[in-house]
Amino acid sequence: MDAILLEYAWVLLVLIVLEGLLAADNAVVMAVMVKHLPPVQQKRALFYGLLGAFVLRFAALFMITFLVNFWQIQALGAAYLLFICFKHLYDHWKKKNQEEEVEEKQGSGFWMTVFKVELADLAFAIDSMLAAVALAVTLPEIGNFHVGGINGGQFAVMFLGGIIGLVIMRFAAQWFVKILQSYPSLETAAFLIVGWVGVKLLVLTLAHPKVAILEEHFPHSTTWKMTFWIVLVVLAVGGYLVGVRNKKKLDATE
């Protein structure tokens, strides 16, 4: 029994790290989506976004065996994240190449922003629970009770990992918003990261058994995971260094 508990503890630790990384993805997207709102509304939108993330992850935990059949949810999430990434890049290029200053377009209203955040949360909830299931099913079953088609012991590990991931997301989302406010030039890097996360959801969609364009296990392969995180880190570090440099130039001219 001690060996089984030790195995559970190890998988829980790995799952906490994994859920923390997935929560960071979700937090970046959330921060970018609410950035255009006034500060007070930003906090409210983040609160609703985090509440939605909790509810949707909890629901996905019970319904993952059902939701996994709907590849269209992740496809929609991927399409939306890629759309807002390319739209930002196009608007930025258009503004830069026009002689006259382009008036900033007003972003979505408060409730529309919350709605968009919740749509993204749904795609991330499925991604999170799929990753949790992939780890949890490697554990030996404890007891003979099941929740949502998953052994009770395995379910408990998934639940704890998901909750800790949400706690990480809560602080990460607020931190990302502050970073974007302090370094406005980081916005483009943030949108590139959003687009890259959209590519990750697209890969998951293409590897779905009902789509089968990519091999089913490819999204969970070491090669793809390493590629994803290396590119994400390069985008984040490169964007941060450019942001710091631009802020120093701006401070020097003031």
Side-chain angles (χ1 to χ4, degrees):
M1 190 63 179
D2 289 342
I4 291 176
L5 291 177
L6 186 62
E7 189 176 354
Y8 264 75
W10 169 249
V11 170
L12 177 59
L13 179 61
V14 173
L15 187 55
I16 287 170
V17 173
L18 180 61
E19 289 292 336
L21 294 172
L22 293 173
D25 285 355
N26 204 161
V28 171
V29 172
M30 207 179 292
V32 169
M33 285 182 170
V34 305
K35 183 181 177 293
H36 68 278
L37 295 172
V40 175
Q41 289 190 349
Q42 280 182 6
K43 291 181 180 179
R44 286 177 57 206
L46 284 176
F47 170 77
Y48 286 123
L50 291 165
L51 180 63
F54 175 80
V55 171
L56 291 169
R57 271 168 169 72
F58 194 67
L61 194 55
F62 286 96
M63 300 174 63
I64 191 62
T65 53
F66 170 73
L67 288 174
V68 72
N69 293 317
F70 291 91
W71 59 268
Q72 294 90 341
I73 296 174
Q74 286 181 316
L76 184 63
Y80 181 66
L81 295 186
L82 289 168
F83 168 74
I84 63 175
C85 171
F86 286 119
K87 184 178 184 303
H88 171 81
L89 294 176
Y90 173 75
D91 289 345
H92 182 74
W93 172 83
K94 186 177 179 181
K95 181 178 179 179
K96 191 175 181 180
N97 286 276
Q98 283 184 345
E99 293 182 5
E100 297 181 4
E101 187 174 350
V102 179
E103 185 179 349
E104 253 340 286
K105 293 182 181 178
Q106 187 176 358
S108 301
F110 175 77
W111 287 112
M112 181 54 70
T113 298
V114 171
F115 176 71
K116 290 175 180 179
V117 169
E118 300 302 347
L119 280 180
D121 279 343
L122 180 58
F124 280 112
I126 296 175
D127 185 18
S128 172
M129 288 305 105
L130 282 174
V133 168
L135 276 177
V137 294
T138 64
L139 291 168
E141 294 189 0
I142 296 179
N144 57 3
F145 67 102
H146 291 75
V147 181
I150 299 168
N151 173 261
Q154 297 171 346
F155 180 89
V157 169
M158 291 169 58
F159 179 78
L160 288 173
I163 292 298
I164 294 171
L166 287 169
V167 172
I168 294 171
M169 190 195 304
R170 180 197 180 282
F171 294 102
Q174 293 179 335
W175 183 74
F176 284 132
V177 168
K178 289 179 181 178
I179 288 291
L180 288 174
Q181 289 173 338
S182 300
Y183 301 95
S185 59
L186 265 177
E187 188 175 27
T188 296
F191 273 97
L192 287 172
I193 291 173
V194 167
W196 185 234
V197 173
V199 170
K200 183 178 76 169
L201 291 179
L202 178 61
V203 167
L204 282 168
T205 302
L206 296 177
H208 192 282
K210 291 186 177 179
V211 180
I213 293 175
L214 293 177
E215 201 272 325
E216 184 178 355
H217 301 290
F218 176 73
H220 309 291
S221 66
T222 302
T223 301
W224 167 244
K225 286 181 178 178
M226 285 184 64
T227 302
F228 175 77
W229 286 109
I230 288 172
V231 173
L232 190 142
V233 168
V234 168
L235 289 174
V237 173
Y240 177 76
L241 293 176
V242 171
V244 170
R245 185 191 65 186
N246 290 344
K247 193 171 190 300
K248 285 181 178 179
K249 286 183 178 178
L250 184 64
D251 292 342
T253 57
E254 290 180 354

